[in-house]
Amino acid sequence: MDESGAPAHETLRDPVDPPDPRRTLYTLAFVDEFAPLYAVFTLWFIDNDVSTSEISVAFIVWAALAVVLEVPSGALADRLDRRKLIASAFALRAAGIAVWLIWPTVTGLLIGAVLWAVHDAAASGAWEAMIHDQLDAVDRASTYGVVMARVGQFSNLGLAAGTIAASGLIRLGAGIDAIGWINVAVHGASIALILTLPDAGWVSRLDDHRLGPSGSTRLDEPTSYSEWRHTRRAGLSAGCRQPELLRLTVVGALIAGLFVVDEYVPLLARARGASDEVVPLIVLTVWLGLILGGEVAARYPDMHSSTLATALLAGTAIAAVVIALDSPWALAGIGVAYGATEATWVISDARFQAAAPRATRATVTSVRGLGAGLVAGLAFLLVAVLTTDDDPTPGLHWVIGLLALASFLVWRWVPNRSASPRKAG
């Protein structure tokens, strides 16, 4: 109760009912991922005498730093305005890309990777938690799984559009550096869009764990170290002590951490003789597979875990076969594997979020992201060690094999329907 006698949660609620955020979220997802550079950025470094192994080392540093910052930044996202935190993360990513374009050396690659890693850590957990809060604020929390599937589709549509744009720009004679500066400019639109979303932070303060040791209840009040530590500890406790949530954390970390084959598709295509203007079209097939996987997740959010596991296992088998072939166009089969992986990820994430506490949602999600970063680091290390003549195929076969093994955990540990929402405890 507050001093007026009203329930505490009533004093936290925004006095004006916020508008439905879905249209803004979908637009943001598209614009933020409209990224022509993503389809060819590894080629930019190869053309500037950076080897595939050196690129993989940069990926390892990227993943390692994201791991170190993952949970601390998640706890910060449970204390601050998540919209502003994510907007700041977008700005850091833009700066990282700019460094790559200005300084295309191993050192420049590493600096840009560090900035991007900070972006990843700041946005990880905060992104899912922000979307869940936005939906909860308009009494649509139960649609989180479907909305996230659509958000993923719009993200992948943005990637697909950016990939098509990259191919067209290269045909018109644009260099990879020009494509990169387009990417930097698009970040301004992403930052503007996310800041138009209403403040739904009051939702995460409905649970008692949202209160710090000092009793602070407002995001606009200064956050002390003790309050941040309290939030971090509560999130870690929830993620490790609730058996169902812990199992979903492990499954999610494995799927997300091994979801790295797309990073190497341009190199796989070039190693098989594809020209630079064809490479984006091959990458496009991966994004189309992700869009299809999102559609499956949106239409069948209650899919049985055994069906998810079977689809994931079949997809990994197809991926293993196509990267063993010499034809660059055979790599389109990776899109099938990514469709299955995307559907599995979206549905398992919805069940994870349903089981997560409101008050420490970003921190708990960051615990999963921590695991994903560790797994991704192992995956990149495998590729770096096993790469021969700038062809990452041998290491990727190991990564795909590990993802196939993860399908058995999906079958055993992912519940067949979303768990009931939990309060912090």
Side-chain angles (χ1 to χ4, degrees):
M1 303 280 285
D2 68 1
E3 292 180 359
S4 67
H9 70 272
E10 292 296 336
T11 66
L12 298 173
R13 189 180 182 104
D14 196 312
V16 178
D17 288 338
D20 191 324
R22 288 176 294 176
R23 181 174 296 180
T24 302
L25 290 171
Y26 297 157
T27 304
L28 172 62
F30 178 89
V31 171
D32 187 54
E33 293 296 347
F34 179 79
L37 181 67
Y38 293 175
V40 292
F41 86 91
T42 49
L43 303 182
W44 172 245
F45 289 104
I46 291 291
D47 291 342
N48 284 278
D49 299 322
V50 180
S51 70
T52 299
S53 293
E54 289 169 332
I55 291 172
S56 291
V57 169
F59 284 160
I60 293 169
V61 172
W62 185 340
L65 184 58
V67 164
V68 171
L69 298 176
E70 185 75 44
V71 175
S73 66
L76 195 63
D78 280 324
R79 300 300 316 175
L80 303 178
D81 186 331
R82 291 165 182 160
R83 300 166 305 158
K84 294 178 181 178
L85 184 64
I86 296 171
S88 299
F90 288 161
L92 287 172
R93 185 176 59 191
I97 294 173
V99 170
W100 285 351
L101 299 171
I102 294 169
W103 200 5
T105 64
V106 174
T107 302
L109 173 60
L110 287 170
I111 293 172
V114 166
L115 290 171
W116 203 315
V118 177
H119 156 274
D120 287 348
S124 176
W127 175 249
E128 294 90 344
M130 181 198 72
I131 292 176
H132 201 285
D133 282 356
Q134 291 286 330
L135 295 172
D136 206 353
V138 293
D139 295 325
R140 289 183 175 273
S142 63
T143 67
Y144 172 85
V146 174
V147 170
M148 283 302 288
R150 297 299 183 203
V151 165
Q153 284 185 305
F154 277 95
S155 293
N156 292 316
L157 281 170
L159 284 165
T163 300
I164 293 171
S167 180
L169 288 167
I170 290 172
R171 283 179 179 273
L172 293 173
I176 295 177
D177 54 341
I179 292 172
W181 287 115
I182 292 173
N183 246 103
V184 173
V186 168
H187 281 73
S190 297
I191 292 169
L193 274 168
I194 197 166
L195 294 178
T196 65
L197 287 166
D199 181 7
W202 57 268
V203 170
S204 64
R205 300 192 294 278
L206 294 179
D207 289 342
D208 290 340
H209 259 311
R210 185 62 185 78
L211 308 180
S214 70
S216 173
T217 62
R218 293 181 55 82
L219 290 179
D220 55 4
E221 291 179 354
T223 295
S224 69
Y225 173 75
S226 62
E227 289 170 339
W228 168 81
R229 186 177 61 182
H230 174 83
T231 302
R232 184 194 62 185
R233 188 174 298 168
L236 288 170
S237 176
C240 296
R241 293 183 181 179
Q242 296 177 13
E244 182 180 58
L245 192 56
L246 178 59
R247 289 192 291 268
L248 285 167
T249 297
V250 172
V251 170
L254 287 172
I255 295 173
L258 296 171
F259 218 167
V260 299
V261 178
D262 59 294
E263 303 284 1
Y264 294 96
V265 169
L267 299 178
L268 288 168
R270 178 178 275 187
R272 285 153 181 75
S275 65
D276 284 1
E277 64 185 44
V278 169
V279 167
L281 299 179
I282 296 173
V283 174
L284 176 62
T285 63
V286 176
W287 308 139
L288 293 176
L290 288 168
I291 292 168
L292 180 59
E295 184 64 24
V296 171
R299 289 179 178 270
Y300 305 102
D302 295 326
M303 190 180 297
H304 199 281
S305 60
S306 62
T307 304
L308 289 173
T310 301
L312 182 59
L313 185 60
T316 55
I318 292 171
V321 170
V322 300
I323 70 169
L325 302 177
D326 291 331
S327 168
W329 288 107
L331 298 173
I334 294 175
V336 178
Y338 261 48
T341 308
E342 176 75 354
T344 304
W345 165 254
V346 171
I347 292 172
S348 64
D349 173 59
R351 296 171 193 180
F352 171 90
Q353 295 295 337
R358 279 195 190 105
T360 55
R361 186 180 304 281
T363 308
V364 172
T365 305
S366 290
V367 172
R368 183 183 63 182
L370 170 64
L374 291 170
V375 173
L378 172 61
F380 289 137
L381 180 61
L382 282 171
V383 176
V385 170
L386 298 175
T387 290
T388 56
D389 299 324
D390 286 331
D391 184 355
T393 301
L396 290 178
H397 267 129
W398 278 92
V399 172
I400 292 168
L402 292 172
L403 188 56
L405 292 175
S407 66
F408 292 99
L409 295 183
V410 171
W411 170 53
R412 296 289 297 174
W413 286 356
V414 174
N416 289 325
R417 64 185 64 182
S418 295
S420 299
R422 296 180 188 272
K423 293 186 181 252

